[in-house]
Amino acid sequence: MELSNSQHLLDPKTDFLRGKAAFYRAQSILELLDSLNRSGNALPPQLLLVTKGISAEQIKGFLQGAKKYPRFPKLLFGENRIEELESKQSELAIKGYEDLLWAFIGKIQSRKMERILKQCCCILSVDSNKRLMAIDACLAKLQKRCDVYLQVNVSAQPLRCGILPDSFDDEKTLQTLLEEINSLQYGKFTGLMAMASKPDDQYPHRNYHEFLKMQRIRLILTKSLGLPIHGLELSIGMSSDFLLAILCGGSLVRLGTSIWHSPEA
């Protein structure tokens, strides 16, 4: 049987120490984000730690490091496969870590939706109106509340999931979406999520322009829903460009490599 990334453990003790080192990297990044907030950013940016390919032992090491700092904020942990999430959650619960906040950041398969919603407090990858309503119906069945983010295919790449940016400029399409958002009973529409393109030599500022496009889409929705300008979260930016994303209005950044892997690795 093929093992998942998180099962390829050379040494649990080494993984635990790597997790503790990851905590100190996260702490440094949080201090940086806090300084940005003091400089006048509208909302304090939050971290979502992507744990794809990261073992439960590494996460345990991270949490052990955080225990020494009572004021360290409670973070979201993000997975893109429900099997990985369930496995890590079960292993961590045995070790006394039962109250982690899990977010789902992968493609949602209908046959796995109920399993995902049972385990997660937040879904960042709601890629269509139809999926939004299906999630709300499933949450009603479970009698559970959950934060939901609409995923926007901001680069309009054919192989990527998400609502196309042009949809928010079409009056009829936007009105339908607004009606569905307002009809949610158990899902709480919390914000928008997007994966920007990687810059290259031909388009060195591509991600910057896409971040600004997401900021504009958030403005359209907040205005249409009668919310304050920062009334919706904006999850943009990852390890390579999270500072740029924050400067463009990002309020929830998804970090993996910059947390779990040392610069020397």
Short mmCIF file of all heavy atoms in Angstrom, two decimals, residues 123-179:
data_model
loop_
_atom_site.label_atom_id
_atom_site.label_comp_id
_atom_site.label_asym_id
_atom_site.label_seq_id
_atom_site.Cartn_x
_atom_site.Cartn_y
_atom_site.Cartn_z
N ILE A 123 -14.73 26.31 5.64
CA ILE A 123 -14.51 25.76 4.29
C ILE A 123 -14.10 26.92 3.40
O ILE A 123 -14.87 27.86 3.19
CB ILE A 123 -15.78 25.10 3.71
CG1 ILE A 123 -16.37 24.08 4.69
CG2 ILE A 123 -15.48 24.46 2.36
CD1 ILE A 123 -15.49 22.89 4.95
N LEU A 124 -12.88 26.85 2.86
CA LEU A 124 -12.39 27.95 2.03
C LEU A 124 -12.59 27.72 0.54
O LEU A 124 -12.34 28.62 -0.25
CB LEU A 124 -10.89 28.19 2.29
CG LEU A 124 -10.57 29.16 3.42
CD1 LEU A 124 -10.72 28.50 4.77
CD2 LEU A 124 -9.19 29.75 3.27
N SER A 125 -13.03 26.54 0.15
CA SER A 125 -13.02 26.16 -1.27
C SER A 125 -14.41 25.92 -1.84
O SER A 125 -14.65 24.93 -2.53
CB SER A 125 -12.16 24.91 -1.45
OG SER A 125 -12.49 23.92 -0.47
N VAL A 126 -15.34 26.84 -1.54
CA VAL A 126 -16.70 26.74 -2.10
C VAL A 126 -16.65 27.34 -3.49
O VAL A 126 -16.63 28.57 -3.65
CB VAL A 126 -17.72 27.47 -1.20
CG1 VAL A 126 -19.12 27.28 -1.76
CG2 VAL A 126 -17.63 26.96 0.23
N ASP A 127 -16.62 26.49 -4.51
CA ASP A 127 -16.25 26.94 -5.85
C ASP A 127 -17.43 27.26 -6.78
O ASP A 127 -17.23 27.53 -7.96
CB ASP A 127 -15.33 25.92 -6.51
CG ASP A 127 -15.95 24.53 -6.60
OD1 ASP A 127 -17.15 24.39 -6.29
OD2 ASP A 127 -15.23 23.58 -6.98
N SER A 128 -18.66 27.22 -6.26
CA SER A 128 -19.81 27.54 -7.11
C SER A 128 -21.03 27.82 -6.24
O SER A 128 -21.07 27.44 -5.06
CB SER A 128 -20.12 26.38 -8.07
OG SER A 128 -20.59 25.26 -7.34
N ASN A 129 -22.05 28.44 -6.84
CA ASN A 129 -23.33 28.68 -6.15
C ASN A 129 -23.95 27.35 -5.74
O ASN A 129 -24.47 27.21 -4.62
CB ASN A 129 -24.32 29.41 -7.06
CG ASN A 129 -23.81 30.72 -7.57
OD1 ASN A 129 -22.64 30.87 -7.89
ND2 ASN A 129 -24.70 31.69 -7.68
N LYS A 130 -23.89 26.38 -6.64
CA LYS A 130 -24.49 25.07 -6.38
C LYS A 130 -23.83 24.41 -5.17
O LYS A 130 -24.50 23.86 -4.30
CB LYS A 130 -24.34 24.19 -7.62
CG LYS A 130 -24.96 22.82 -7.47
CD LYS A 130 -24.79 22.01 -8.76
CE LYS A 130 -25.38 20.61 -8.61
NZ LYS A 130 -25.18 19.80 -9.85
N ARG A 131 -22.51 24.51 -5.10
CA ARG A 131 -21.78 23.92 -3.97
C ARG A 131 -22.14 24.64 -2.67
O ARG A 131 -22.26 24.02 -1.62
CB ARG A 131 -20.28 24.03 -4.22
CG ARG A 131 -19.43 23.27 -3.23
CD ARG A 131 -19.37 21.80 -3.53
NE ARG A 131 -18.71 21.55 -4.80
CZ ARG A 131 -18.76 20.38 -5.44
NH1 ARG A 131 -19.43 19.38 -4.93
NH2 ARG A 131 -18.14 20.22 -6.59
N LEU A 132 -22.31 25.95 -2.74
CA LEU A 132 -22.67 26.73 -1.56
C LEU A 132 -23.99 26.24 -0.97
O LEU A 132 -24.10 26.03 0.25
CB LEU A 132 -22.77 28.21 -1.94
CG LEU A 132 -23.19 29.19 -0.84
CD1 LEU A 132 -22.10 29.28 0.23
CD2 LEU A 132 -23.46 30.58 -1.43
N MET A 133 -24.98 26.04 -1.83
CA MET A 133 -26.29 25.62 -1.35
C MET A 133 -26.27 24.17 -0.86
O MET A 133 -26.95 23.83 0.12
CB MET A 133 -27.33 25.80 -2.45
CG MET A 133 -27.45 27.24 -2.95
SD MET A 133 -27.51 28.49 -1.63
CE MET A 133 -29.06 28.07 -0.83
N ALA A 134 -25.46 23.32 -1.51
CA ALA A 134 -25.35 21.92 -1.08
C ALA A 134 -24.70 21.84 0.30
O ALA A 134 -25.10 21.02 1.15
CB ALA A 134 -24.54 21.13 -2.10
N ILE A 135 -23.71 22.68 0.54
CA ILE A 135 -23.04 22.71 1.85
C ILE A 135 -24.03 23.17 2.92
O ILE A 135 -24.08 22.59 4.02
CB ILE A 135 -21.82 23.64 1.80
CG1 ILE A 135 -20.68 22.95 1.02
CG2 ILE A 135 -21.35 24.03 3.20
CD1 ILE A 135 -19.48 23.84 0.77
N ASP A 136 -24.82 24.18 2.63
CA ASP A 136 -25.79 24.67 3.62
C ASP A 136 -26.82 23.59 3.95
O ASP A 136 -27.19 23.43 5.11
CB ASP A 136 -26.48 25.93 3.09
CG ASP A 136 -27.19 26.69 4.21
OD1 ASP A 136 -26.52 27.03 5.20
OD2 ASP A 136 -28.40 26.94 4.07
N ALA A 137 -27.24 22.84 2.93
CA ALA A 137 -28.21 21.76 3.16
C ALA A 137 -27.60 20.66 4.02
O ALA A 137 -28.26 20.11 4.91
CB ALA A 137 -28.68 21.20 1.82
N CYS A 138 -26.35 20.35 3.76
CA CYS A 138 -25.66 19.32 4.54
C CYS A 138 -25.45 19.78 5.98
O CYS A 138 -25.60 18.99 6.92
CB CYS A 138 -24.32 18.98 3.87
SG CYS A 138 -23.49 17.53 4.58
N LEU A 139 -25.12 21.04 6.16
CA LEU A 139 -24.97 21.59 7.51
C LEU A 139 -26.29 21.56 8.27
O LEU A 139 -26.32 21.31 9.49
CB LEU A 139 -24.43 23.03 7.44
CG LEU A 139 -22.97 23.19 7.04
CD1 LEU A 139 -22.64 24.66 6.75
CD2 LEU A 139 -22.04 22.66 8.14
N ALA A 140 -27.38 21.81 7.56
CA ALA A 140 -28.70 21.74 8.20
C ALA A 140 -28.97 20.32 8.69
O ALA A 140 -29.50 20.12 9.79
CB ALA A 140 -29.77 22.19 7.21
N LYS A 141 -28.60 19.35 7.89
CA LYS A 141 -28.76 17.94 8.27
C LYS A 141 -27.93 17.62 9.52
O LYS A 141 -28.38 16.89 10.41
CB LYS A 141 -28.33 17.04 7.10
CG LYS A 141 -28.40 15.56 7.39
CD LYS A 141 -27.89 14.76 6.20
CE LYS A 141 -27.81 13.28 6.52
NZ LYS A 141 -27.23 12.50 5.37
N LEU A 142 -26.73 18.19 9.58
CA LEU A 142 -25.84 17.95 10.72
C LEU A 142 -26.16 18.85 11.91
O LEU A 142 -25.61 18.63 13.00
CB LEU A 142 -24.39 18.18 10.29
CG LEU A 142 -23.81 17.25 9.22
CD1 LEU A 142 -22.44 17.75 8.77
CD2 LEU A 142 -23.71 15.83 9.74
N GLN A 143 -27.01 19.87 11.68
CA GLN A 143 -27.31 20.87 12.71
C GLN A 143 -26.02 21.51 13.21
O GLN A 143 -25.75 21.58 14.42
CB GLN A 143 -28.09 20.23 13.87
CG GLN A 143 -29.50 19.80 13.50
CD GLN A 143 -30.43 20.98 13.27
OE1 GLN A 143 -30.78 21.70 14.20
NE2 GLN A 143 -30.84 21.20 12.03
N LYS A 144 -25.24 21.99 12.25
CA LYS A 144 -23.93 22.55 12.58
C LYS A 144 -23.71 23.86 11.84
O LYS A 144 -24.12 24.02 10.69
CB LYS A 144 -22.82 21.55 12.18
CG LYS A 144 -21.42 22.04 12.49
CD LYS A 144 -20.36 21.05 12.03
CE LYS A 144 -18.97 21.62 12.28
NZ LYS A 144 -17.90 20.73 11.82
N ARG A 145 -23.04 24.80 12.49
CA ARG A 145 -22.66 26.07 11.86
C ARG A 145 -21.24 25.94 11.31
O ARG A 145 -20.40 25.21 11.85
CB ARG A 145 -22.69 27.20 12.89
CG ARG A 145 -24.01 27.33 13.62
CD ARG A 145 -25.08 27.95 12.76
NE ARG A 145 -26.34 28.06 13.48
CZ ARG A 145 -27.44 28.56 12.93
NH1 ARG A 145 -27.43 28.99 11.68
NH2 ARG A 145 -28.56 28.63 13.63
N CYS A 146 -20.97 26.68 10.25
CA CYS A 146 -19.64 26.60 9.63
C CYS A 146 -19.40 27.87 8.81
O CYS A 146 -20.30 28.36 8.12
CB CYS A 146 -19.57 25.37 8.73
SG CYS A 146 -17.95 25.07 7.98
N ASP A 147 -18.18 28.39 8.88
CA ASP A 147 -17.80 29.52 8.04
C ASP A 147 -17.53 29.03 6.62
O ASP A 147 -16.88 27.99 6.44
CB ASP A 147 -16.54 30.20 8.57
CG ASP A 147 -16.78 30.93 9.89
OD1 ASP A 147 -17.95 31.19 10.22
OD2 ASP A 147 -15.79 31.23 10.58
N VAL A 148 -17.99 29.77 5.64
CA VAL A 148 -17.76 29.38 4.24
C VAL A 148 -17.18 30.56 3.46
O VAL A 148 -17.60 31.71 3.64
CB VAL A 148 -19.05 28.87 3.56
CG1 VAL A 148 -19.49 27.56 4.18
CG2 VAL A 148 -20.18 29.89 3.64
N TYR A 149 -16.22 30.25 2.62
CA TYR A 149 -15.59 31.22 1.75
C TYR A 149 -15.87 30.84 0.30
O TYR A 149 -15.73 29.66 -0.07
CB TYR A 149 -14.07 31.22 1.93
CG TYR A 149 -13.54 31.86 3.19
CD1 TYR A 149 -13.83 31.34 4.44
CD2 TYR A 149 -12.71 32.98 3.13
CE1 TYR A 149 -13.32 31.90 5.60
CE2 TYR A 149 -12.20 33.56 4.28
CZ TYR A 149 -12.51 33.02 5.52
OH TYR A 149 -12.00 33.58 6.64
N LEU A 150 -16.21 31.81 -0.52
CA LEU A 150 -16.35 31.55 -1.95
C LEU A 150 -14.97 31.56 -2.60
O LEU A 150 -14.19 32.50 -2.39
CB LEU A 150 -17.24 32.60 -2.60
CG LEU A 150 -18.74 32.53 -2.31
CD1 LEU A 150 -19.45 33.71 -2.97
CD2 LEU A 150 -19.34 31.21 -2.80
N GLN A 151 -14.68 30.54 -3.37
CA GLN A 151 -13.42 30.47 -4.09
C GLN A 151 -13.58 31.14 -5.45
O GLN A 151 -14.50 30.80 -6.21
CB GLN A 151 -12.96 29.03 -4.27
CG GLN A 151 -11.64 28.90 -4.99
CD GLN A 151 -11.15 27.46 -5.06
OE1 GLN A 151 -11.68 26.59 -4.36
NE2 GLN A 151 -10.16 27.20 -5.88
N VAL A 152 -12.69 32.08 -5.73
CA VAL A 152 -12.73 32.81 -7.00
C VAL A 152 -11.56 32.36 -7.87
O VAL A 152 -10.41 32.34 -7.42
CB VAL A 152 -12.66 34.33 -6.76
CG1 VAL A 152 -12.69 35.09 -8.10
CG2 VAL A 152 -13.81 34.79 -5.87
N ASN A 153 -11.87 32.00 -9.09
CA ASN A 153 -10.81 31.65 -10.05
C ASN A 153 -10.28 32.95 -10.63
O ASN A 153 -10.58 33.33 -11.77
CB ASN A 153 -11.37 30.73 -11.14
CG ASN A 153 -10.32 30.28 -12.13
OD1 ASN A 153 -9.15 30.66 -12.04
ND2 ASN A 153 -10.73 29.47 -13.10
N VAL A 154 -9.49 33.65 -9.83
CA VAL A 154 -9.11 35.02 -10.16
C VAL A 154 -8.25 35.09 -11.42
O VAL A 154 -8.25 36.10 -12.14
CB VAL A 154 -8.40 35.69 -8.97
CG1 VAL A 154 -7.06 35.04 -8.68
CG2 VAL A 154 -8.25 37.19 -9.17
N SER A 155 -7.52 34.04 -11.73
CA SER A 155 -6.68 34.02 -12.93
C SER A 155 -7.44 33.54 -14.15
O SER A 155 -6.91 33.60 -15.27
CB SER A 155 -5.46 33.11 -12.70
OG SER A 155 -5.89 31.78 -12.45
N ALA A 156 -8.68 33.06 -13.94
CA ALA A 156 -9.52 32.54 -15.04
C ALA A 156 -8.84 31.42 -15.82
O ALA A 156 -9.08 31.25 -17.00
CB ALA A 156 -9.95 33.68 -15.98
N GLN A 157 -8.00 30.65 -15.13
CA GLN A 157 -7.35 29.52 -15.78
C GLN A 157 -8.33 28.35 -15.88
O GLN A 157 -8.99 28.01 -14.89
CB GLN A 157 -6.11 29.10 -14.99
CG GLN A 157 -5.01 30.14 -14.98
CD GLN A 157 -3.78 29.69 -14.23
OE1 GLN A 157 -3.51 28.50 -14.13
NE2 GLN A 157 -3.02 30.63 -13.70
N PRO A 158 -8.44 27.72 -17.04
CA PRO A 158 -9.44 26.68 -17.26
C PRO A 158 -9.35 25.50 -16.30
O PRO A 158 -10.37 24.89 -15.97
CB PRO A 158 -9.16 26.22 -18.71
CG PRO A 158 -8.44 27.37 -19.34
CD PRO A 158 -7.65 28.01 -18.25
N LEU A 159 -8.16 25.16 -15.85
CA LEU A 159 -7.99 23.99 -15.00
C LEU A 159 -8.18 24.29 -13.52
O LEU A 159 -8.10 23.39 -12.69
CB LEU A 159 -6.61 23.37 -15.22
CG LEU A 159 -6.34 22.84 -16.64
CD1 LEU A 159 -4.94 22.26 -16.73
CD2 LEU A 159 -7.37 21.79 -17.03
N ARG A 160 -8.42 25.55 -13.17
CA ARG A 160 -8.63 25.92 -11.78
C ARG A 160 -10.12 26.02 -11.46
O ARG A 160 -10.93 26.37 -12.32
CB ARG A 160 -7.94 27.24 -11.45
CG ARG A 160 -6.42 27.09 -11.35
CD ARG A 160 -5.81 28.29 -10.70
NE ARG A 160 -4.37 28.10 -10.48
CZ ARG A 160 -3.57 29.02 -9.97
NH1 ARG A 160 -4.06 30.21 -9.63
NH2 ARG A 160 -2.29 28.77 -9.79
N CYS A 161 -10.46 25.73 -10.21
CA CYS A 161 -11.85 25.80 -9.76
C CYS A 161 -12.16 27.20 -9.24
O CYS A 161 -11.27 27.95 -8.87
CB CYS A 161 -12.09 24.77 -8.65
SG CYS A 161 -11.84 23.07 -9.16
N GLY A 162 -13.44 27.49 -9.20
CA GLY A 162 -13.86 28.76 -8.61
C GLY A 162 -14.77 29.56 -9.51
O GLY A 162 -14.89 29.30 -10.71
N ILE A 163 -15.41 30.54 -8.90
CA ILE A 163 -16.29 31.45 -9.63
C ILE A 163 -15.43 32.43 -10.42
O ILE A 163 -14.46 32.98 -9.89
CB ILE A 163 -17.21 32.21 -8.66
CG1 ILE A 163 -18.06 31.20 -7.87
CG2 ILE A 163 -18.09 33.21 -9.38
CD1 ILE A 163 -18.86 31.82 -6.73
N LEU A 164 -15.77 32.66 -11.67
CA LEU A 164 -14.98 33.56 -12.51
C LEU A 164 -15.20 35.02 -12.09
O LEU A 164 -16.31 35.41 -11.73
CB LEU A 164 -15.35 33.38 -13.97
CG LEU A 164 -14.94 32.03 -14.58
CD1 LEU A 164 -15.54 31.87 -15.97
CD2 LEU A 164 -13.41 31.90 -14.65
N PRO A 165 -14.16 35.84 -12.16
CA PRO A 165 -14.28 37.25 -11.74
C PRO A 165 -15.36 38.02 -12.47
O PRO A 165 -16.03 38.87 -11.89
CB PRO A 165 -12.88 37.82 -12.06
CG PRO A 165 -11.97 36.64 -12.01
CD PRO A 165 -12.78 35.49 -12.54
N ASP A 166 -15.57 37.71 -13.76
CA ASP A 166 -16.58 38.42 -14.55
C ASP A 166 -17.99 38.23 -14.00
O ASP A 166 -18.88 39.05 -14.25
CB ASP A 166 -16.54 37.96 -16.01
CG ASP A 166 -15.28 38.41 -16.72
OD1 ASP A 166 -14.55 39.26 -16.15
OD2 ASP A 166 -15.00 37.92 -17.83
N SER A 167 -18.20 37.14 -13.25
CA SER A 167 -19.53 36.86 -12.70
C SER A 167 -20.00 37.97 -11.76
O SER A 167 -21.20 38.23 -11.64
CB SER A 167 -19.51 35.53 -11.93
OG SER A 167 -19.10 34.47 -12.77
N PHE A 168 -19.06 38.63 -11.12
CA PHE A 168 -19.42 39.66 -10.15
C PHE A 168 -19.77 40.99 -10.83
O PHE A 168 -20.27 41.90 -10.17
CB PHE A 168 -18.28 39.85 -9.15
CG PHE A 168 -17.98 38.60 -8.36
CD1 PHE A 168 -17.01 37.70 -8.80
CD2 PHE A 168 -18.68 38.32 -7.20
CE1 PHE A 168 -16.73 36.55 -8.08
CE2 PHE A 168 -18.41 37.16 -6.49
CZ PHE A 168 -17.44 36.27 -6.93
N ASP A 169 -19.51 41.08 -12.13
CA ASP A 169 -19.86 42.28 -12.89
C ASP A 169 -21.16 42.10 -13.66
O ASP A 169 -21.68 43.06 -14.23
CB ASP A 169 -18.73 42.64 -13.85
CG ASP A 169 -17.50 43.15 -13.13
OD1 ASP A 169 -17.65 43.98 -12.22
OD2 ASP A 169 -16.39 42.71 -13.48
N ASP A 170 -21.66 40.86 -13.69
CA ASP A 170 -22.92 40.58 -14.38
C ASP A 170 -24.06 40.74 -13.38
O ASP A 170 -24.13 40.02 -12.38
CB ASP A 170 -22.91 39.16 -14.94
CG ASP A 170 -24.17 38.84 -15.72
OD1 ASP A 170 -24.22 39.13 -16.91
OD2 ASP A 170 -25.13 38.32 -15.08
N GLU A 171 -24.93 41.70 -13.63
CA GLU A 171 -25.97 42.06 -12.66
C GLU A 171 -26.86 40.89 -12.30
O GLU A 171 -27.15 40.66 -11.11
CB GLU A 171 -26.81 43.22 -13.22
CG GLU A 171 -27.80 43.78 -12.21
CD GLU A 171 -28.54 44.99 -12.76
OE1 GLU A 171 -28.06 45.61 -13.72
OE2 GLU A 171 -29.61 45.31 -12.20
N LYS A 172 -27.28 40.12 -13.29
CA LYS A 172 -28.19 39.00 -13.03
C LYS A 172 -27.49 37.90 -12.23
O LYS A 172 -28.04 37.36 -11.26
CB LYS A 172 -28.71 38.45 -14.35
CG LYS A 172 -29.75 37.35 -14.19
CD LYS A 172 -30.29 36.90 -15.54
CE LYS A 172 -31.32 35.79 -15.37
NZ LYS A 172 -31.85 35.32 -16.69
N THR A 173 -26.27 37.58 -12.63
CA THR A 173 -25.51 36.53 -11.94
C THR A 173 -25.21 36.95 -10.51
O THR A 173 -25.32 36.14 -9.57
CB THR A 173 -24.19 36.25 -12.69
OG1 THR A 173 -24.49 35.90 -14.04
CG2 THR A 173 -23.42 35.12 -12.04
N LEU A 174 -24.84 38.20 -10.32
CA LEU A 174 -24.54 38.71 -8.99
C LEU A 174 -25.78 38.68 -8.11
O LEU A 174 -25.71 38.28 -6.93
CB LEU A 174 -23.99 40.13 -9.07
CG LEU A 174 -23.70 40.82 -7.74
CD1 LEU A 174 -22.64 40.05 -6.94
CD2 LEU A 174 -23.25 42.26 -7.97
N GLN A 175 -26.92 39.06 -8.65
CA GLN A 175 -28.15 39.07 -7.88
C GLN A 175 -28.53 37.67 -7.41
O GLN A 175 -28.94 37.48 -6.25
CB GLN A 175 -29.30 39.66 -8.72
CG GLN A 175 -30.61 39.85 -7.95
CD GLN A 175 -30.45 40.75 -6.73
OE1 GLN A 175 -29.72 41.73 -6.76
NE2 GLN A 175 -31.14 40.39 -5.65
N THR A 176 -28.35 36.68 -8.28
CA THR A 176 -28.63 35.29 -7.91
C THR A 176 -27.73 34.86 -6.76
O THR A 176 -28.17 34.24 -5.79
CB THR A 176 -28.42 34.35 -9.11
OG1 THR A 176 -29.32 34.72 -10.16
CG2 THR A 176 -28.67 32.90 -8.73
N LEU A 177 -26.46 35.19 -6.86
CA LEU A 177 -25.51 34.84 -5.81
C LEU A 177 -25.87 35.51 -4.49
O LEU A 177 -25.86 34.87 -3.43
CB LEU A 177 -24.09 35.24 -6.22
CG LEU A 177 -22.98 35.02 -5.18
CD1 LEU A 177 -22.86 33.55 -4.82
CD2 LEU A 177 -21.65 35.56 -5.69
N LEU A 178 -26.23 36.78 -4.54
CA LEU A 178 -26.60 37.52 -3.32
C LEU A 178 -27.83 36.90 -2.65
O LEU A 178 -27.89 36.78 -1.42
CB LEU A 178 -26.87 38.98 -3.65
CG LEU A 178 -25.67 39.80 -4.12
CD1 LEU A 178 -26.11 41.18 -4.58
CD2 LEU A 178 -24.62 39.93 -3.01
N GLU A 179 -28.80 36.49 -3.46
CA GLU A 179 -30.00 35.87 -2.91
C GLU A 179 -29.66 34.56 -2.21
O GLU A 179 -30.20 34.23 -1.15
CB GLU A 179 -31.03 35.63 -4.03
CG GLU A 179 -31.66 36.92 -4.54
CD GLU A 179 -32.52 36.69 -5.77
OE1 GLU A 179 -32.62 35.51 -6.22
OE2 GLU A 179 -33.09 37.66 -6.30
#
